[in-house]
Amino acid sequence: MSASLHTSFLHSSYDNPFMNASGVHCMTTKELEELSESKAGGFITKSATTLQRDGNPEPRYFSVPLGSINSMGLPNAGFEYYMSYVLDYQEKNPNLNPPFFSVAGMSVEENLKLLRRIQDSEFYGVTELNLSCPNVPGKPQVAYDFELTKEILTKVFEFFKKPLGVKLPPYFDFAHFNIMTDILNQFPLCYVNCINSIGNGLYIDSENESVVIRPKDGFGGIGGDYVKPTALANVRAFYTRLNPNIKIIGTGGIRSGQDAFEHLLCGATMLQVGTELYKEGPSIFDRLECELKDIMNKKGYATIDEFRGKLKGL
Ligand code: SIN
């Protein structure tokens, strides 16, 4: 028997659940094309702002043994660059799923403007609204402000009719899982993506008695092994609380088939890979696919649906 990784997500079919996490290997059309040609089931653009941004000063990304710290500051080529790419991709590949399109405006008004532009365009893929970037100096993570999140979603769904998901920061308290769920359940969201990096960690080089990245005095978003238990907790908390029409994308600490299996067991439908994709490049998707299939074969699962969300209690 050979396990199938086939995944249905929002009425579309994907060969497997793996994608890049927005921010990794998706800034340029060259990188996006490399993802398209890789074994990833789907892929997503870098979060776009209206205009091109250089982002924060370098060094702004640092790999450490158990993960990464970054304070990129949303460098991106600007909304129109990614819009041209996704429209061109759709035209050239009418039988494939278009890339997911990530946007991260710097204000409520900018988010609304970007989403209006998507609504009025020919883009027929999935849009991800990033409410969780921790790295823009002076701009707190939107989704830690519950009232602001509700205000944005209320205004967005007055006009936005295409499939939309939101990228969330990690939450650390049941009270916050519950408050956020109450808000999200009021809207026709297609998915939530749990989690963005754990914001504002600090990694130190003790030999040099120094921080390792320049922006924000060394504070940055933490990814990789450090964040997997928090990511799994967020996937599980939202999977068990949200209206079942709202799917979960699991992101955080996926570097092996076993990590992927655990995210799926907690209830994720698609899986995004950030830190480990940065380290290994797009060939990582071949390895993840083989490792996840091996685990499923050993356990006797023919499809992901047989175990998705079925984490047991004690
Ligand atoms: C960044 O560009 O700073 C990372 C994006 C994010 O964490 O949302």
Side-chain angles (χ1 to χ4, degrees):
M1 184 191 73
S2 182
S4 161
L5 300 188
H6 174 266
T7 298
S8 294
F9 185 69
L10 314 182
H11 311 296
S12 294
S13 184
Y14 295 84
D15 287 346
N16 64 66
F18 294 110
M19 304 174 62
N20 65 305
S22 176
V24 182
H25 211 93
C26 56
M27 184 101 80
T28 63
T29 55
K30 178 175 176 288
E31 289 177 329
L32 288 161
E33 278 304 290
E34 285 166 4
L35 289 175
S36 161
E37 284 157 21
S38 78
K39 281 290 193 70
F43 64 109
I44 183 165
T45 67
K46 173 69 185 166
S47 299
T49 50
T50 310
L51 300 176
Q52 178 272 346
R53 279 174 62 87
D54 290 337
N56 292 339
E58 295 183 356
R60 57 193 184 181
Y61 188 103
F62 195 83
S63 283
V64 295
L66 294 177
S68 63
I69 182 166
N70 91 83
S71 183
M72 303 299 287
L74 288 175
N76 74 93
F79 180 86
E80 293 305 330
Y81 177 91
Y82 300 106
M83 176 57 90
S84 307
Y85 176 74
V86 296
L87 293 181
D88 191 52
Y89 188 92
Q90 284 182 172
E91 203 174 310
K92 289 189 181 138
N93 304 284
N95 300 322
L96 298 180
N97 294 309
F100 287 40
F101 194 157
S102 173
V103 294
M106 294 286 148
S107 63
V108 178
E109 292 67 36
E110 186 179 3
N111 278 319
L112 296 175
K113 198 181 94 189
L114 297 175
L115 291 174
R116 265 203 197 90
R117 179 80 181 80
I118 293 178
Q119 178 62 34
D120 294 342
S121 75
E122 300 294 312
F123 177 59
Y124 53 75
V126 179
T127 302
E128 180 166 291
L129 177 60
N130 181 353
L131 297 177
S132 50
C133 178
N135 303 328
V136 180
K139 300 267 179 200
Q141 285 158 273
V142 174
Y144 283 146
D145 182 335
F146 299 118
E147 278 175 28
L148 182 60
T149 301
K150 186 171 176 186
E151 180 193 332
I152 292 178
L153 292 178
T154 303
K155 290 182 172 159
V156 165
F157 284 110
E158 282 168 9
F159 65 90
F160 201 80
K161 306 293 173 215
K162 294 182 177 179
L164 183 75
V166 283
K167 176 104 173 247
L168 297 178
Y171 298 96
F172 302 95
D173 196 285
F174 276 44
H176 296 162
F177 293 138
N178 293 338
I179 294 169
M180 201 58 189
T181 299
D182 284 346
I183 294 169
L184 298 169
N185 271 339
Q186 293 171 38
F187 298 98
L189 279 164
C190 291
Y191 74 87
V192 299
N193 185 343
C194 305
I195 57 172
N196 206 323
S197 55
I198 297 186
N200 297 306
L202 191 59
Y203 194 88
I204 289 169
D205 172 349
S206 354
E207 193 160 323
N208 288 312
E209 302 176 15
S210 158
V211 300
V212 296
I213 55 172
R214 189 179 305 280
K216 292 177 69 177
D217 294 326
F219 285 65
I222 305 294
D225 289 0
Y226 294 114
V227 313
K228 188 178 77 169
T230 300
L232 293 175
N234 277 258
V235 168
R236 188 67 184 162
F238 284 111
Y239 179 77
T240 51
R241 283 168 175 74
L242 284 173
N243 158 355
N245 293 333
I246 305 180
K247 302 295 170 208
I248 315 284
I249 295 185
T251 305
I254 299 179
R255 65 190 300 211
S256 69
Q258 184 181 318
D259 301 322
F261 182 81
E262 291 174 10
H263 269 265
L264 296 166
L265 202 57
C266 286
T269 299
M270 299 291 281
L271 304 171
Q272 294 187 351
V273 186
T275 296
E276 201 60 24
L277 168 62
Y278 189 97
K279 284 186 184 159
E280 288 184 40
S283 64
I284 189 179
F285 294 110
D286 302 64
R287 179 174 70 73
L288 289 175
E289 204 185 311
C290 287
E291 290 178 4
L292 178 57
K293 273 188 180 163
D294 274 357
I295 291 171
M296 288 170 62
N297 284 332
K298 283 192 187 114
K299 287 177 174 278
Y301 289 125
T303 67
I304 293 173
D305 286 339
E306 290 170 27
F307 64 92
R308 185 197 321 287
K310 296 194 177 150
L311 181 67
K312 294 178 199 144
L314 292 180

